Amino acid sequence: MINIDELKFDDRGVIPAIVQDAATKRVLTLAYMNRESLEITLKEGKTCFWSRSRQELWRKGETSGNYQHVKSIIADCDRDALTVMVDKDGPACHLGTDSCFEYPLAGEVDPGCGEEPGKDDFSVYSLYKMLEGRKAEMPEGSYTSYLFEKGLDKILKKVGEESTEVIIAGKAEDKAETVYEIADLTYHVLVLMVELGISVEEIRKELAGRHIIDHKVKQEKMTK
């Protein structure tokens, strides 16, 4: 992947490594590697960093299970910084978020910047994290708490009902209503995922690994 002898480590013997998701290209974290940790990364195919605070090697996922499987490593034009593309087994951040650069949920204040994110920061990931919080805290008066309290059968019933609503709205070719009902269905499916311990990342990986078009063509041929 890379010639270590061409790299320019700083006076502390480390080089910054920007870690990105190979599928989404999203920046996951900024870490540092020394020669030994980079050699281990290349040999084992999983990220290993150098902890500047603890002054020791840090194999990502060794304690959490959230390994990062290396797809490629490239250096910048000056050979003093790296980009590491990975397939990850779980959250990249020690706070449990998908990325160390993930915004907090809408309405929450990020103590790191002191600014409150707006609606543009909303994502399926942030909604999922909110639902996880609801299940953990079970605040009174929350519809989500109500669903988790009633359990799997109630959640499945709602998923079924919302699926039917999507079909009805779609059949009527009512775009606005269909968008509304798909949003309801998405919410309830995410509740189901949280209930069953299925992460958004697992769904992303499943979709990314499929040849959807080819598979669909094969299905159509089989039904003719």
Side-chain angles (χ1 to χ4, degrees):
M1 289 185 190
I2 198 168
N3 187 343
I4 297 180
D5 293 329
E6 294 179 352
L7 299 179
K8 297 176 183 177
F9 296 89
D10 67 15
D11 55 2
R12 295 168 295 178
V14 298
I15 189 170
I18 302 167
V19 183
Q20 289 182 262
D21 188 304
T24 66
K25 304 304 184 288
R26 184 182 188 188
V27 174
L28 301 176
T29 192
L30 171 63
Y32 291 84
M33 292 180 170
N34 60 10
R35 177 178 284 269
E36 183 181 5
S37 68
L38 181 53
E39 288 174 344
I40 291 172
T41 296
L42 292 172
K43 179 181 179 180
E44 299 182 356
K46 293 183 285 190
T47 55
C48 177
F49 306 111
W50 175 254
S51 173
R52 295 177 301 165
S53 59
R54 300 192 303 271
Q55 291 291 295
E56 63 182 18
L57 292 171
W58 161 37
R59 283 178 166 84
K60 176 63 178 174
E62 193 168 38
T63 56
S64 66
N66 299 326
Y67 293 103
Q68 296 173 342
H69 304 274
V70 177
K71 307 302 290 184
S72 68
I73 302 177
I74 60 174
D76 70 346
C77 56
D78 293 324
R79 298 292 189 269
D80 60 1
L82 303 174
T83 296
V84 185
M85 306 299 292
V86 303
D87 283 335
K88 58 189 182 62
D89 290 338
C93 182
H94 71 286
L95 297 178
T97 54
D98 190 58
S99 165
C100 290
F101 296 94
E102 186 170 322
Y103 287 105
L105 302 180
E108 293 183 353
V109 175
D110 182 357
C113 64
E115 297 179 357
E116 185 173 337
K119 293 181 180 179
D120 290 342
D121 299 317
F122 177 84
S123 68
V124 172
Y125 286 95
S126 66
L127 176 56
Y128 183 88
K129 295 299 292 184
M130 186 200 75
L131 296 176
E132 283 188 313
R134 290 288 190 272
K135 184 176 184 182
E137 299 170 8
M138 297 292 281
E140 293 185 11
S142 165
Y143 174 67
T144 306
S145 298
Y146 164 77
L147 289 176
F148 285 129
E149 181 180 343
K150 290 298 182 181
L152 182 59
D153 287 345
K154 179 65 175 179
I155 296 171
L156 291 172
K157 181 180 179 183
K158 290 301 298 182
V159 169
E161 291 173 356
E162 298 303 336
S163 298
T164 301
E165 294 296 331
V166 170
I167 294 171
I168 293 172
K171 182 65 176 177
E173 299 185 21
D174 186 331
K175 181 178 179 180
E177 185 65 18
T178 304
V179 169
Y180 182 88
E181 296 300 343
I182 288 175
D184 271 355
L185 176 59
T186 300
Y187 160 80
H188 285 92
V189 168
L190 286 170
V191 171
L192 175 61
M193 288 167 58
V194 172
E195 177 69 14
L196 296 179
I198 300 171
S199 69
V200 176
E201 179 66 13
E202 288 177 280
I203 301 302
R204 186 199 66 76
K205 283 187 174 180
E206 174 66 22
L207 291 172
R210 291 183 182 185
H211 299 290
I212 299 175
I213 296 177
D214 291 342
H215 183 64
K216 183 62 178 176
V217 169
K218 290 178 182 178
Q219 284 184 324
E220 289 176 351
K221 287 182 178 178
M222 290 175 64
T223 57
K224 289 181 180 180

